[in-house]
Every structure is written in C-alpha cells, then in structure tokens.
Amino acid sequence: MNTNGRATSPFGSAHTLDSLLTEVRACRLCASSLPLGPRPVLVPHREARILVAGQAPGTKVPQSGIPFDDASGDRLRQWMGLDRAAFYDPLLVAFLPMGFCYPGRGASGDLPPRPECAATWRSRLLAQLPTVELVLLVGQYAQAWHLGTQRKATLTETVHAWRAYWPAALPLPHPSPRNNIWLKRNPWLELEVVPMLQQRVRSIIDLAR
C-alpha cells in the first residue's frame, strides 16, 4: 500500500498533504448534484496504520463532519474491536470513502458515491498514506476500485473470499442496519472473519507502540 512512497512519491510530505486537503475541501466538481451541497468528510494522516475505505457519508455525517458517526460506525467499531477514542485516533485509523460528500437518496437507499471524487482525488491521497498496513474495503464500490479484476462476481462472494486479499486488505459488507438481513444469512462473517479482524487490529496497535 504505497509503502515505498516516502522516498519517491511527488506527494510525499505532510506539507503536500495539507495542501491537497485544502484542494479537496474547496472542491465543487459535483456541487450541483449534491442535495446537501459539498461538504467533504475524510480523515487521512500520514502515520495512519489502518485505512477504512467506505462508500460515502450518510445523512448524519455531513452535520457532524465525523466519519461513520452513526449506527454503521457503532457496528464497524465492534467488528474492529476498538472503542470510540481509538477508532477516531488519526494516527491509527484513516478514513477515505469513495465519495467524500453525501450523494443523495435513491429509491432503495443512498445513491452511489459520485464517480468524480475517486477519479480526481483517490490516487493522490492514497500516495500520502505510506504506513497503512490494513485496508478495510467497506462495500462494493471500495472493493471494485481497490480489487479491480480480483473482485468476485458479487459482494457476498468477494467477502467470502477474504483470505485471498488478507492480510493487506479485507472486504466487508457495509455495517449499516440495512444489512441486518445479509448478516443473518451470512453468520460466518461474525463467527469467522470478525475475530481475525480484531486480532489483526490488535497486532497493528501493538507494533505501533
């Protein structure tokens, strides 16, 4: 995950990350398509060890400016075995969703992340995260971007094949309460995958100390 970016990346300094974040927060590329207007929500830090690659902020997140500041975040913290303080420690966890702004509501839930976001910013921001050891690919859009042709035909198949991407990455379903039915149909996630995730997170924390 860009582990050699410190020496060779043109985006390789904290100063450049600050400048890049200033650009991101001033972005208006898809302002006319955003029902709540542009309010990018992301937390990248050059020393972060875990990257949460989510979908896009929900309706509550633009108000607080805090990633996963909702019921989805409660479940994701439980899966990771982290309390709120550790989950929001930028030296441990970075948040870089596929879309930085709330995309609006569709017929069956939130709309997909705006495609302009990842196309414009994602590679440049990932180059600023040289110490990431584990990427959590939350949902189909993050899995499609990060896994490419290694992704399986469906989200369920991709998550079930988690060992193929481990230990650098872990595909997960979205932790939203809307996925409760999926979780009931796939109990192996919490029985088999979550304990491995918690063990990996603990080992990353221990090595970082």
Side-chain angles (χ1 to χ4, degrees), residues 10 12 16 77 89 152 161 167 171 194 209:
T16 306
R77 285 194 296 274
D89 179 355
K152 307 302 179 184
V194 166
R209 287 174 177 165

Side-chain angles (χ1 to χ4, degrees), residues 1 44 73 75 77 81 86 96-97 110 112 117 162 167-168 172 178 199:
M1 180 76 192
R75 176 173 277 159
R77 285 194 296 274
L96 197 65
D110 291 345
C117 203
W162 64 275
L172 291 168
R178 294 193 189 109
Q199 180 180 341

Side-chain angles (χ1 to χ4, degrees), residues 21-132:
L21 287 173
T22 298
E23 290 185 57
V24 171
R25 288 168 181 143
C27 179
R28 297 296 182 270
L29 280 174
C30 49
S32 62
S33 301
L34 301 172
L36 302 181
R39 184 168 185 190
V41 178
L42 66 159
V43 182
H45 193 289
R46 282 187 58 79
E47 296 183 41
R49 301 304 178 109
I50 300 168
L51 171 62
V52 176
Q55 181 167 293
T59 53
K60 293 182 179 179
V61 172
Q63 300 171 19
S64 68
I66 301 173
F68 282 95
D69 189 23
D70 51 21
S72 297
D74 294 341
R75 176 173 277 159
L76 184 57
R77 285 194 296 274
Q78 184 270 319
W79 284 351
M80 296 174 71
L82 295 177
D83 60 22
R84 189 176 178 89
F87 187 70
Y88 289 117
D89 179 355
L91 299 181
L92 177 62
V93 182
F95 297 90
L96 197 65
M98 297 307 299
F100 300 149
C101 302
Y102 174 64
R105 182 82 176 171
S108 59
D110 291 345
L111 291 171
R114 295 293 309 178
E116 300 93 335
C117 203
T120 305
W121 303 112
R122 194 160 195 81
S123 293
R124 295 174 66 189
L125 285 162
L126 287 173
Q128 293 282 353
L129 305 178
T131 62
V132 166

